[in-house]
Amino acid sequence: MKKKWYIFIALAVLIFSVFLIYKIVSNKGDGKVAFDIVKEDKIPKKIEEILPKYQKEERALACKIDDKIYIIVTRGEKNTDGYDVNIQTIEKKKNNDKLNLTVYAEYKDPKVDEIVPQVITYPTAVVLTKLEELPEKIDLKTNYIE
């Protein structure tokens, strides 16, 4: 009787191990990317130097500084204050050993009846990721919030 239980337990462990290995192999590194929001006064000098090239565009980009990977989302040039951007999640997907990212960002616009200063602004969000390599491609998905 004891032999049957040992065989049953060994078989269950084997099936679980095969399932776990299959899950790991089939994901190929897919999933969410951990990141920390970088406050405006903590943005690295090199990023501050390259931002003017990209601030007029609405896009997501990545840069590597001191072996750290940063993701930047810019909203473009705005004629008033009151616009904002926040990075909500970043998902990675391996495709033929190339890393692709999808960045999900929330956009906030000023309300129609809101009084805002008439100044040129460039809403930007910067995050420090836990990635070890630069992505090959970045897709930006946006969601407007009230």
Side-chain angles (χ1 to χ4, degrees):
M1 188 69 165
K2 284 186 179 182
K3 276 188 174 180
K4 287 183 181 180
W5 278 106
Y6 289 130
I7 293 172
F8 176 76
I9 292 172
L11 189 58
V13 169
L14 180 65
I15 291 171
F16 178 75
S17 299
V18 169
F19 176 76
L20 188 61
I21 290 170
Y22 171 77
K23 274 304 246 186
I24 291 170
V25 170
S26 66
N27 279 342
K28 297 181 186 172
D30 296 355
K32 293 195 185 284
V33 174
F35 64 86
D36 295 315
I37 296 170
V38 179
K39 298 201 184 280
E40 193 172 338
D41 61 337
K42 300 290 184 193
I43 295 174
K45 188 97 172 138
K46 288 183 181 179
I47 292 178
E48 288 178 352
E49 291 171 359
I50 65 166
L51 265 179
K53 295 179 192 175
Y54 301 102
Q55 280 183 321
K56 291 185 179 183
E57 303 173 23
E58 184 173 316
R59 66 178 300 175
L61 60 134
C63 65
K64 186 173 189 176
I65 299 172
D66 299 328
D67 293 327
K68 296 176 183 174
I69 307 293
Y70 292 86
I71 302 295
I72 304 160
V73 174
T74 58
R75 283 205 58 189
E77 184 176 277
K78 303 299 179 192
N79 293 325
T80 67
D81 200 9
Y83 292 89
D84 197 15
V85 59
N86 291 306
I87 297 173
Q88 295 302 305
T89 58
I90 302 172
E91 293 181 355
K92 65 180 177 175
K93 190 168 196 94
K94 285 280 191 175
N95 188 8
N96 296 328
D97 290 331
K98 294 183 180 180
L99 179 64
N100 295 325
L101 296 180
T102 302
V103 177
Y104 294 89
E106 281 187 347
Y107 284 6
K108 182 178 178 238
D109 293 349
K111 294 184 172 110
V112 176
D113 59 347
E114 185 177 354
I115 298 172
V116 292
Q118 300 294 306
V119 295
I120 303 293
T121 60
Y122 302 93
T124 304
V126 179
V127 297
L128 173 62
T129 70
K130 308 295 187 215
L131 294 170
E132 296 177 1
E133 63 179 303
L134 280 169
E136 181 75 20
K137 180 181 172 192
I138 301 177
D139 291 320
L140 176 62
K141 305 283 185 182
T142 60
N143 179 36
Y144 285 86
I145 59 171
E146 297 279 327

